[in-house]
Amino acid sequence: MGQDIAERTPTGEEIRLQMQWAKLAAEGDIIPADYKGKPANILVAIGFGSAMGLSFADSLYRINVIKGKPTMSAELIASQVRKAGHKLRIYKDPERVSVKAVIIRRDDPEFEFSAVRDQEWAEQMGMFAQKGDNYRKQPMTMLTWRAITAVAREACPEALYGAGYTPDELDDIPAVPVREETADVVVDPAPSKEQCKAISAAMRRCGVTRKDDAAMVLQRLTGRDGVKRTDDLTLVEAEDFLSSPDVLEQRIRQCLPQDAPEEPARQGGDGQEAPDAVG
């Protein structure tokens, strides 16, 4: 089912509805803080959520975009695994403060993927010190969600649409700082030329052939005004976009102006493709 959803291109009327809903929701007082006053970010979130069959509201409350990378709640990850037809089993041992999560794929029922999260693991990871009361007061609940997300990333990443981490887990991943030689500032790592070319190729397949249109699409995808070319993306953003090419092309089409016709790639006078948005 997920594959069918991801491949379906929304109609012009659906895109208009999403844009209208995003503008209204951005003015609300009860939406997550990261979306207040940011209809473009809301549009990206609901576009991503629609690929997974989520309602607009579910997309806002169960998907968070952190530093350009979409994340899902642990509950949503478990739901996506089961929606894809895989079996998810949870085994809890309160005496040992241990949880084992098992996934059996529907296309490989003879093999089990498993992940164990227990008190020893939590102590080694510094969870009791870093995460505070949650791990001290309800360790079995917290370990259950960690076991589920860990096994899901290994067993069926395609069911997670490139958003296999929870916001809490993303905090555990250390940043890889890159320092500029001329200034003592930390900047996000840049994508490779190959990644930039792959994203530009995806935009051309969706009819994006002009630099102005490419800048508009990139800004709507990332929610950042300063992004005008693919090499303005961060490495995290590029890896996220390329983790699911089908979803990326759908998100690109959702960012295009309503009723905009798709054009074939333009040819230069020498028969070569016109320059794209890669620097």
Side-chain angles (χ1 to χ4, degrees):
M1 177 179 177
Q3 187 69 15
D4 295 336
I5 294 172
E7 291 179 350
R8 189 179 73 82
T9 302
T11 64
E13 181 61 30
E14 288 173 330
I15 295 176
R16 281 192 290 271
L17 177 62
Q18 290 178 357
M19 294 175 66
Q20 184 179 39
W21 193 90
K23 290 178 181 178
L24 291 173
E27 300 175 2
D29 292 329
I30 61 173
I31 64 171
D34 289 342
Y35 293 118
K36 287 184 179 180
K38 299 177 181 178
N41 288 9
I42 293 176
L43 185 63
V44 172
I46 63 179
F48 188 84
S50 69
M52 296 186 288
L54 300 181
S55 68
F56 292 175
D58 271 341
S59 298
L60 291 191
Y61 286 97
R62 303 177 77 180
I63 295 174
N64 292 305
V65 179
I66 300 176
K67 295 182 179 180
K69 186 172 182 61
T71 64
M72 289 194 281
S73 66
E75 296 96 329
L76 181 55
I77 289 177
S79 174
Q80 287 299 115
V81 170
R82 289 182 167 125
K83 185 189 295 185
H86 309 306
K87 294 180 180 179
L88 173 61
R89 301 285 185 265
I90 309 298
Y91 303 94
K92 299 183 180 182
D93 186 345
E95 292 185 3
R96 298 183 180 180
V97 192
S98 178
V99 179
K100 178 180 180 180
V102 173
I103 288 179
I104 303 173
R105 289 184 59 95
R106 66 175 181 175
D107 57 358
D108 189 8
E110 303 301 320
F111 185 81
E112 286 188 356
F113 292 85
S114 66
V116 175
R117 294 293 182 264
D118 53 22
Q119 184 168 354
E120 181 180 357
W121 172 85
E123 289 174 348
Q124 289 178 345
M125 295 293 291
M127 296 300 175
F128 293 101
Q130 296 175 19
K131 306 300 181 181
D133 289 344
N134 281 340
Y135 274 84
R136 287 191 290 269
K137 293 180 178 179
Q138 46 183 353
M140 292 300 292
T141 299
M142 303 305 294
L143 292 173
T144 296
W145 294 132
R146 287 300 184 107
I148 289 173
T149 55
V151 74
R153 286 192 294 271
E154 181 179 1
C156 46
E158 76 286 348
L160 309 183
Y161 292 83
Y165 288 90
T166 65
D168 185 54
E169 288 177 311
L170 204 60
D171 289 340
D172 299 338
I173 301 175
V176 181
V178 175
R179 293 190 176 272
E180 296 179 341
E181 294 181 359
T182 57
D184 189 22
V185 296
V186 177
V187 298
D188 291 324
S192 66
K193 289 184 178 180
E194 290 72 18
Q195 289 172 319
C196 291
K197 290 180 179 179
I199 294 170
S200 289
M203 288 197 289
R204 286 197 295 272
R205 288 194 294 271
C206 295
V208 181
T209 58
R210 297 184 302 178
K211 290 186 176 182
D212 289 346
D213 291 339
M216 178 268 295
V217 168
L218 291 171
Q219 288 168 15
R220 291 184 176 179
L221 284 174
T222 62
R224 297 194 290 118
D225 293 338
V227 182
K228 296 183 178 180
R229 296 148 41 114
T230 52
D231 52 7
D232 291 331
L233 297 170
T234 66
L235 178 60
V236 170
E237 289 169 339
E239 289 178 344
D240 167 44
F241 294 154
L242 296 174
S243 65
S244 183
D246 291 340
V247 175
L248 171 60
E249 292 190 19
Q250 182 187 7
R251 292 169 67 185
I252 291 172
R253 292 188 177 97
Q254 289 174 333
C255 292
L256 295 174
Q258 58 188 27
D259 301 327
E262 294 188 1
E263 317 174 6
R266 294 178 293 116
Q267 301 291 318
D270 56 358
Q272 300 295 319
E273 287 188 357
D276 56 29
V278 178

